[in-house]
Amino acid sequence: QRRVIRTLAQRVSTLSAEWSAQELEFGHTQAIIALLRNGVTGTSYPLPTGGIVWVERGGFWLGPQHPQPAFSLHLDVPGEITLPSGLRVTARILAGSISVIGEFSKTCAKKAALPWESKGLRTLMDYHHVHGPLQVRQRLPGDRYQPAGITGEKKLQDICVDEGIPRRWRQRLPVITDSLGIIWLPGAKPAQRVST
């Protein structure tokens, strides 16, 4: 088990300049094994020089931590922006429709899919119910909104858990807002007030 973990760490570190597997010692591999045996989804173990191991549904993830810088960007409709994480958000008006579509993907064409099963990476919103310009920003403590089909507002943390979004992605996901508040968290449903 230790050999497998060290081999995996070596392979990952050759693809990333953010951390080195050379710092992985006996105590670290033992802690990783204990974490995986426990198997509690969402738990993690920080590695030396910025790496981390996350336990996820059906497996685990090992690699760099990807700290998310603060950002708040204007999104034109139609328009497209690339976030500091390298993810892209696109808004466009559908021909013959009053809806706006949001698309969320990696900028890398070969691996456009995100690493979890989700149908909510594209969404339709009623453009007449969007108030003011769109902003794309990082998640903030206490963020909440009412997804379509849900009674009352929910915390983004709870929405992420319900949608099965891995914890390591939660800080990297953008929040799309208008002048009245949050209208969409990619990976989940749009806000009730803008749903079609």
Side-chain angles (χ1 to χ4, degrees):
Q1 291 173 336
R2 290 193 301 273
R3 190 161 48 244
V4 168
I5 290 169
R6 288 191 64 82
T7 300
L8 176 61
Q10 289 287 348
R11 289 182 182 175
V12 172
S13 69
T14 60
L15 302 174
S16 172
E18 297 178 51
W19 75 291
S20 169
Q22 298 299 328
E23 302 293 326
L24 205 60
E25 298 175 354
F26 178 82
H28 302 128
T29 57
Q30 288 298 98
I32 293 169
I33 290 169
L35 179 77
L36 299 179
R37 282 185 179 153
N38 195 19
V40 178
T41 300
T43 55
S44 64
Y45 177 73
L47 299 172
T49 64
I52 195 164
V53 178
W54 289 105
V55 178
E56 299 180 351
R57 290 183 185 177
F60 71 98
W61 186 88
L62 183 150
Q65 290 199 44
H66 299 295
Q68 178 63 67
F71 65 93
S72 181
L73 304 169
H74 175 76
L75 177 61
D76 290 320
V77 181
E80 179 178 284
I81 57 172
T82 301
L83 306 179
S85 62
L87 300 171
R88 183 175 61 231
V89 178
T90 303
R92 60 189 171 98
I93 304 224
L94 297 179
S97 172
I98 60 169
S99 297
V100 60
I101 187 167
E103 296 177 280
F104 182 69
S105 66
K106 288 188 176 181
T107 55
C108 176
K110 290 186 178 178
K111 293 187 177 180
L114 292 173
W116 77 91
E117 294 297 323
S118 178
K119 298 177 182 176
L121 301 181
R122 296 183 70 186
T123 194
L124 290 171
M125 291 177 266
D126 186 334
Y127 195 44
H128 287 312
H129 290 110
V130 173
H131 294 270
L134 296 182
Q135 291 290 122
V136 182
R137 62 166 172 79
Q138 80 278 7
R139 192 174 73 162
L140 299 174
D143 269 349
R144 57 175 60 231
Y145 78 107
Q146 181 182 0
I150 304 288
T151 302
E153 292 187 335
K154 292 185 73 171
K155 291 181 180 178
L156 294 196
Q157 169 68 21
D158 296 337
I159 293 170
C160 287
V161 170
D162 293 346
E163 297 294 337
I165 298 171
R167 184 172 289 190
R168 64 187 165 94
W169 271 92
R170 294 175 194 172
Q171 290 303 322
R172 299 173 69 192
L173 285 175
V175 174
I176 292 61
T177 68
D178 66 4
S179 62
L180 298 182
I182 297 172
I183 59 173
W184 186 41
L185 173 72
K189 293 177 181 178
Q192 178 70 43
R193 66 183 173 86
V194 299
S195 66
T196 56

